[in-house]
Amino acid sequence: MPSPLDTTQRSATISVLVDNEAGVLARVIGLFSGRGYNIDSLTVAPVADGGNLSRINVVTSGTEMVIEQIKAQLDRLVPVHRVADLTLEGPHIAREMALIKVAGVDNDRAEALRLADAFRARVVDATTESFVFEMTGSTEKLDAFVELMRPLGLAEVSRTGVAAMARGTRSI
Amino acid sequence: MSQKTANSPAAADPSHTEAPQAGAEVLLRALKDQGVEVIFGYPGGAVLPIYDAIFNQNAIRHVLVRHEQAAVHAAEGYARSTGKVGVVLVTSGPGATNAVTGLLDALMDSVPLVCLTGQVPTHLIGNDAFQEADTTGITRPATKHNYLVKRADDLARVVHDAFYVARSGRPGPVVIDLPKDILIGKAPYVAPPTGAHRSYRPQTQPDAGQIARAVALLKSAKRPVIYTGGGVINAGPEAAEALVAFVRKTGFPCTSTLMGLGAYPSNDPQFLGMLGMHGTYEANLVMHGCDVMLNVGARFDDRVTGRLNAFSPDSRKIHIDIDPSSINKNVPVEVPVVADAGLALRALLAAWDADATVPDRPALSEWWKQIDAWRGIECLRFTQDMAKGAIIRPQHAIQRLYDITREGGRETFITTEVGQHQMWAAQYFRFDRPNHWMTSGGLGTMGYGLPAAMGVQIAHPDALVIDIAGEASILMNIQEMATLAQYRLPVKLFILNNQYMGMVRQWQELLHGGRYSESYSAALPDFVKLADAFHGKGLRAESVDQLDDVIREMLATDGPVIADIAVDPKENCFPMIPSGAAHNEMILGAEHGGNLRDGGAASLTDEGLVLV
């Protein structure tokens, strides 16, 4: 029984399996904005049943009572097949991909490349004055890398948002 | 999808053996297969093909309203009084946007509706075409679900799906947006599906373990209460019967929300009256002081709970709701039961007998003694000056309306608008059957009552249907008087005319220093002449000696009546729990020496003031 007095915020990674139909994403986003829930990250793509089912991964935060409410609200949407709170249901993997453009010359450029190597980022585009790195990892790892690039000429970041699933044999 | 797809002959699909018909014909056929008998609607360009199809058949009756909002409220009245799905038909653009208030009203009060909206042809969608609106976008947060039919092949399936969604689980309104080319082009017909829905399968059967836990908790109670809501009404008359059986078996006190009135007979000694902001003293104090609370089909609405952190502080709670998102939303509960209210009540009845534990009868009898003491306050007591020429108190007007309709013994349905008159109706008209009380609870929509009464009267042509109204609310959908005239619907409008938006005036008096900003009903029409102009009968009572005669004449008139009852403009609705206050911080009326607790409204906090 979640208590309304408990104001501890937690992050939740929630995966939602939905019918891939027009307006389904708007329904989910509208639910979050209309009820004042946070969206820290959101991804959506068709994943199964010949493209008829899409998976939405949403990272949100709130008190335990709010997160329970978010899951119940999602679950009662008509095109929703399944709602899984990966954070609560056991160990899970959450990854996102980012393209990170760094513009610079001389030492900064060399340092950027060294750090990229240490972070296992790939160079997917290069000019004499810039790199675009592709990097996959946890949100925290990407955050850390982006922060390191900032003084080295960080020009642009494009991130996918989180894709996530449970570890082990369990599936949604 | 493209125009080409929409017009492609569906007969090419080998699964459809019948010759395809026009989309509008297919739509009507699907409605018939869903058992639809009445549609409330208003024509327009985008839905002309549907009106053409309606013209050519007799199975479905169309009721022409005078404003689309009224069509939705009429369908709500129809649905609430019959348990069937109400059906609305409006055109694109303004037709659809006018319906939005009604849709949200139905969503908040869990009323099953299917609303068909016209749309510009598929190839014009997104072009800012004449009378185009993003109807699915606009109605998404105002409906349980909505559909835009872009392919003729989907039409029949979507209609069947919409009815299933509207009536299943927690009922609600569903919109089907119908582009004109889909209505004109050929479409295949498919029968309603027989299998389970692919994604939406609400749980209706209670978990046996949770029911056993609930019974164990209830049997351990020393100060129990059963708090019921609209979910019991929505679960059908059998649910109300099961509620009565369970309350009687347990011997527990029972209170109800505004939406749940009628599920348990109001005149029964175990009934405490309505709870909440304008609920009875005894109901609210029982809620505050109970040690075990059983909530059946109510949602701990803010009108009911008052200040959340002071709500029923010492109770262990059981919550039965068909909508899992209603559980632990505002108030955490110890025993959640996701189920249909009727099925859960029947399970409780069986489990109560199966559990050998004997309830604590001495404690219960102490509890009843306490309740009787609270009842002794007679929080709804008022004194009506019966001298000739004396001004009518609104409570007396409702009391007499109740007494006189009861003498007549006719089946009576009551609808209301929103405001003081609505609360007085809930307090003084005593309901003893479900589905006979129609009011806008969640959204609080002024203008609901007249069209809702229209829908009720269509469904129950021989019954007495009364809209208890205020003079301000009634003007919000007064054009429906023309609909009453056209269909000879003998709806009675009983207007408590205090020349103010009374609830606004009351809050301004209690919370805003008596600054009656814009709440006076200036330049009111002459309601007697207004009734006459709309082919009805107008009556007026200006003093208490005229009241009974006016009510009797109203009831004896075989046609629509407006009874304009001049009541005391200064009357306030009590008891009242001000916003942000707790159940034990009720204000009582002047009859009871005003504020019950020191300070009363004057002690309202700033936090309370921001609440509505």
Side-chain angles (χ1 to χ4, degrees):
Chain A
M1 172 164 76
S3 163
L5 301 175
D6 180 5
T7 55
T8 319
Q9 301 265 322
R10 79 157 167 108
S11 174
T13 303
I14 298 170
S15 280
V16 192
L17 215 52
V18 298
D19 280 330
N20 181 20
E21 63 184 27
V24 68
L25 187 59
R27 260 178 237 291
V28 170
I29 292 173
L31 191 156
F32 276 77
S33 64
R35 293 184 182 268
Y37 307 143
N38 302 314
I39 298 182
D40 297 327
S41 161
L42 181 118
T43 60
V44 56
V47 291
D49 191 20
N52 289 327
L53 283 181
S54 286
R55 182 176 181 132
I56 295 174
N57 300 294
V58 55
V59 181
T60 183
S61 53
T63 63
E64 199 53 53
M65 217 165 154
V66 166
I67 287 168
E68 285 305 310
Q69 205 26 228
I70 290 172
K71 289 186 282 181
Q73 293 289 352
L74 284 169
D75 205 29
R76 72 179 189 150
L77 295 178
V78 171
V80 167
H81 288 253
R82 167 111 170 85
V83 178
D85 182 344
L86 297 175
T87 309
L88 209 64
E89 289 178 10
H92 68 283
I93 304 162
R95 291 285 182 272
E96 58 175 316
M97 198 266 273
L99 297 174
I100 299 136
K101 182 177 288 182
V102 181
V105 291
D106 303 334
N107 271 350
D108 283 356
R109 181 173 162 79
E111 181 62 14
L113 199 58
R114 266 196 299 277
L115 285 165
D117 193 43
F119 273 76
R120 290 187 215 159
R122 289 204 307 142
V123 176
V124 290
D125 179 69
T127 68
T128 52
E129 293 175 357
S130 70
F131 287 117
V132 175
F133 299 114
E134 175 199 307
M135 186 168 158
T136 304
S138 69
T139 298
E140 295 72 27
K141 179 180 167 183
L142 267 55
D143 287 347
F145 184 70
V146 167
E147 279 316 304
L148 284 172
M149 289 301 111
R150 205 174 289 286
L152 303 176
L154 180 71
E156 193 177 343
V157 181
S158 179
R159 292 168 74 148
T160 58
V162 172
M165 65 172 58
R167 289 182 183 272
T169 53
R170 218 158 29 88
S171 66
I172 189 168
Chain B
M1 288 302 123
S2 70
Q3 182 83 342
K4 193 168 151 243
T5 317
N7 288 331
S8 68
D13 181 345
S15 68
H16 303 120
T17 49
E18 296 170 47
Q21 299 169 290
E25 304 281 350
V26 168
L27 171 68
L28 281 193
R29 185 167 166 198
L31 295 179
K32 268 176 240 166
D33 276 2
Q34 289 294 337
V36 175
E37 291 164 356
V38 186
I39 297 177
F40 299 91
Y42 201 103
V47 287
L48 281 176
I50 304 176
Y51 277 87
D52 226 21
I54 288 173
F55 190 75
N56 288 321
Q57 56 87 52
N58 286 317
I60 296 178
R61 180 181 182 197
H62 180 273
V63 176
L64 175 67
V65 296
R66 299 306 191 264
H67 187 289
E68 288 89 350
Q69 183 194 352
V72 188
H73 294 323
E76 285 187 89
Y78 180 90
R80 281 199 81 82
S81 66
T82 60
K84 298 179 191 166
V85 178
V87 182
V88 180
L89 169 56
V90 297
T91 194
S92 63
T97 56
N98 275 345
V100 169
T101 300
L103 293 171
L104 189 56
D105 190 273
L107 183 69
M108 297 278 275
D109 285 345
S110 310
V111 184
L113 297 185
V114 169
C115 177
L116 311 164
T117 58
Q119 182 56 275
V120 300
T122 46
H123 67 275
L124 285 180
I125 289 177
N127 264 323
D128 300 325
F130 177 65
Q131 293 196 329
E132 181 184 356
D134 174 10
T135 300
T136 46
I138 290 168
T139 62
R140 200 169 286 126
T143 53
K144 183 174 173 187
H145 193 54
N146 61 19
Y147 307 82
L148 168 60
V149 180
K150 284 177 145 185
R151 295 182 335 126
D153 283 352
D154 293 337
L155 177 60
R157 179 189 62 77
V158 163
V159 175
H160 297 314
D161 207 57
F163 276 84
Y164 168 79
V165 169
R167 67 172 175 257
S168 304
R170 180 176 176 180
V174 176
V175 159
I176 311 176
D177 204 22
L178 297 160
K180 196 171 181 182
D181 54 329
I182 300 288
L183 296 170
I184 290 173
K186 299 283 189 229
Y189 185 73
V190 293
T194 47
H197 193 273
R198 69 191 184 287
S199 60
Y200 185 67
R201 298 180 295 273
Q203 181 180 342
T204 56
Q205 284 291 349
D207 178 85
Q210 291 297 81
I211 291 289
R213 284 179 65 201
V215 165
L217 191 50
L218 288 165
K219 286 209 169 171
S220 74
K222 295 185 187 307
R223 301 184 311 278
V225 65
I226 297 174
Y227 145 50
T228 73
V232 180
I233 311 279
N234 276 337
E238 315 79 47
E241 280 167 29
L243 172 69
V244 173
F246 188 70
V247 171
R248 296 224 168 113
K249 185 181 284 281
T250 56
F252 291 174
C254 175
T255 177
S256 167
T257 66
L258 180 72
M259 298 308 294
L261 292 176
Y264 194 86
S266 295
N267 290 320
D268 187 280
Q270 277 176 262
F271 189 67
L272 307 176
M274 181 174 76
L275 81 164
M277 185 174 272
H278 294 290
T280 65
Y281 183 66
E282 52 270 30
N284 286 330
L285 288 192
V286 161
M287 289 292 278
H288 191 79
C290 66
D291 70 341
V292 174
M293 178 190 299
L294 170 63
N295 169 347
V296 190
R299 58 186 176 93
F300 293 111
D301 176 81
D302 58 72
R303 297 291 99 161
V304 158
T305 61
R307 192 167 82 238
L308 265 180
N309 61 12
F311 173 69
S312 195
D314 304 319
S315 64
R316 301 172 71 183
K317 300 175 185 77
I318 303 156
H319 186 181
I320 298 168
D321 206 298
I322 200 161
D323 177 5
S325 76
S326 283
I327 293 174
N328 288 331
K329 183 172 74 175
N330 306 325
V331 174
V333 296
E334 190 172 327
V335 185
V337 182
V338 177
D340 170 86
L343 296 176
L345 282 163
R346 280 200 284 279
L348 281 175
L349 275 165
W352 184 273
D353 289 337
D355 185 319
T357 318
V358 181
D360 189 344
R361 291 291 163 199
L364 203 54
S365 131
E366 277 304 303
W367 183 224
W368 272 112
K369 252 186 237 161
Q370 171 66 72
I371 293 170
D372 286 339
W374 287 330
R375 269 184 173 158
I377 299 256
E378 296 182 332
C379 65
L380 296 178
R381 189 181 70 233
F382 62 92
T383 311
Q384 171 68 51
D385 178 0
M386 294 306 289
K388 193 167 165 28
I391 194 161
I392 303 166
R393 297 190 71 176
Q395 300 95 324
H396 179 68
I398 306 269
Q399 183 70 56
R400 290 308 295 154
L401 180 69
Y402 172 67
D403 291 342
I404 295 170
T405 52
R406 206 171 150 86
E407 281 168 21
R410 282 178 70 190
E411 181 174 25
T412 305
F413 293 84
I414 300 292
T415 72
T416 73
E417 310 289 332
V418 168
Q420 284 184 324
H421 68 272
Q422 177 190 29
M423 293 299 114
W424 283 316
Q427 291 172 335
Y428 293 93
F429 207 99
R430 322 274 302 166
F431 300 94
D432 53 8
R433 295 164 68 185
N435 303 101
H436 285 64
W437 160 248
M438 269 58 56
T439 194
S440 172
L443 194 61
T445 311
M446 291 170 75
Y448 169 89
L450 166 51
M454 227 157 69
V456 174
Q457 190 82 77
I458 288 280
H460 308 273
D462 300 323
L464 174 62
V465 184
I466 305 171
D467 173 24
I468 297 178
E471 86 291 338
S473 276
I474 195 68
L475 289 177
M476 283 215 182
N477 268 319
I478 194 69
Q479 77 286 343
E480 297 308 317
M481 285 296 293
T483 312
L484 296 185
Q486 179 179 347
Y487 296 94
R488 299 171 197 276
L489 301 174
V491 168
K492 317 300 181 209
L493 308 186
F494 190 73
I495 301 177
L496 299 182
N497 185 344
N498 61 2
Q499 302 174 63
Y500 274 98
M501 295 157 210
M503 196 57 93
V504 173
R505 198 207 64 83
Q506 174 167 344
W507 281 51
Q508 286 173 334
E509 177 184 333
L510 299 177
L511 306 168
H512 294 273
R515 294 177 294 279
Y516 300 120
S517 180
E518 304 292 331
S519 55
Y520 179 64
S521 293
L524 280 173
D526 179 331
F527 284 107
V528 174
K529 285 185 186 160
L530 187 74
D532 190 47
F534 277 114
H535 320 289
K537 179 182 268 190
L539 301 168
R540 180 174 291 129
E542 289 175 330
S543 58
V544 69
D545 44 292
Q546 299 165 347
L547 179 67
D548 283 17
D549 290 343
V550 163
I551 294 174
R552 285 182 208 284
E553 190 177 351
M554 174 180 90
L555 299 185
T557 304
D558 183 23
V561 178
I562 298 181
D564 183 19
I565 312 296
V567 298
D568 188 345
K570 291 189 292 295
E571 193 68 88
N572 284 335
C573 189
F574 292 117
M576 177 179 181
I577 302 173
S579 280
H583 276 178
N584 59 346
E585 297 169 334
M586 247 170 295
I587 307 173
L588 296 187
E591 197 92 16
H592 301 82
N595 299 344
L596 192 75
R597 295 271 297 238
D598 289 344
S603 71
L604 265 185
T605 57
D606 287 349
E607 295 90 84
L609 201 61
V610 302
L611 301 170
V612 282

